[in-house]
Amino acid sequence: QGQLAESGGGLVQAGGSLRLSCAASGRTFSNYAMGWFRQAPGKDREFVAAIRWNDRSTYYADSVKGRFTISVDNAKNTMYLQMNSLEPEDTAVYYCGARTRYLTAQTMSNMRQYDYWGQGTQVTVSS
C-alpha cells in the first residue's frame, strides 16, 4: 500500500480556478484507479471525479462536469484536479483516494471501494 499527499487548496473567489495535486508514493504501481472526493462541514464525503490509471478513463459527478478535469502524470506519480468556474458550493476539504484492485465503472464513485487516502486539502470559495 502506498501513501498519498494532497496539495493546492486555498481561498479563491467565485468564478476562479484552482489545481489540486495528489502525489502518490510507495507501492504506486499497484494502483488501479484514483479519485477525488470532498467533504463540506456537516455533510458526508461525496464523489467528485475518478480516473483509471491504465487507460485514463474518467468519471465525474454531475455537479462538476464541464468545470473540473481529472488527469494523471505517470512519470510524476501524481493525479491532478483542475477546477474552473468555482462556486461557493464547491467549498470543502478535498481528499484523494486510491484503489489497488479492479473497480467497475459503476463503483468508481463509491468511497468504500478505495483502499487508502490522503490527509485532505481545504478549498474555500468566497461569493
Side-chain angles (χ1 to χ4, degrees):
Q1 188 161 314
Q3 294 81 43
L4 303 174
E6 302 95 334
S7 61
L11 174 63
V12 64
Q13 289 188 329
S17 300
L18 282 174
R19 189 177 79 156
L20 305 184
S21 300
C22 174
S25 60
R27 295 175 60 87
T28 57
F29 62 86
S30 65
N31 288 338
Y32 175 82
M34 294 182 70
W36 288 99
F37 290 73
R38 65 187 182 187
Q39 188 166 16
K43 296 187 177 181
D44 293 332
R45 191 173 298 189
E46 65 175 7
F47 172 72
V48 175
I51 187 167
R52 276 207 183 98
W53 203 256
N54 57 354
D55 64 6
R56 302 291 192 266
S57 296
T58 57
Y59 308 85
Y60 294 95
D62 288 342
S63 60
V64 306
K65 279 181 183 176
R67 300 189 298 124
F68 292 9
T69 302
I70 190 171
S71 62
V72 294
D73 184 331
N74 273 20
K76 296 181 179 180
N77 286 325
T78 299
M79 176 178 66
Y80 301 98
L81 185 69
Q82 178 65 44
M83 304 186 296
N84 298 329
S85 301
L86 283 162
E87 304 168 351
E89 293 73 24
D90 296 316
T91 296
V93 177
Y94 284 70
Y95 298 90
C96 63
R99 165 81 175 186
T100 59
R101 297 154 290 161
Y102 175 75
L103 194 61
T104 66
Q106 290 75 17
T107 54
M108 280 285 183
S109 60
N110 186 342
M111 61 174 288
R112 294 179 180 82
Q113 299 296 326
Y114 287 75
D115 300 306
Y116 58 102
W117 296 86
Q119 81 287 350
T121 185
Q122 176 71 47
V123 172
T124 303
V125 184
S126 63
S127 56

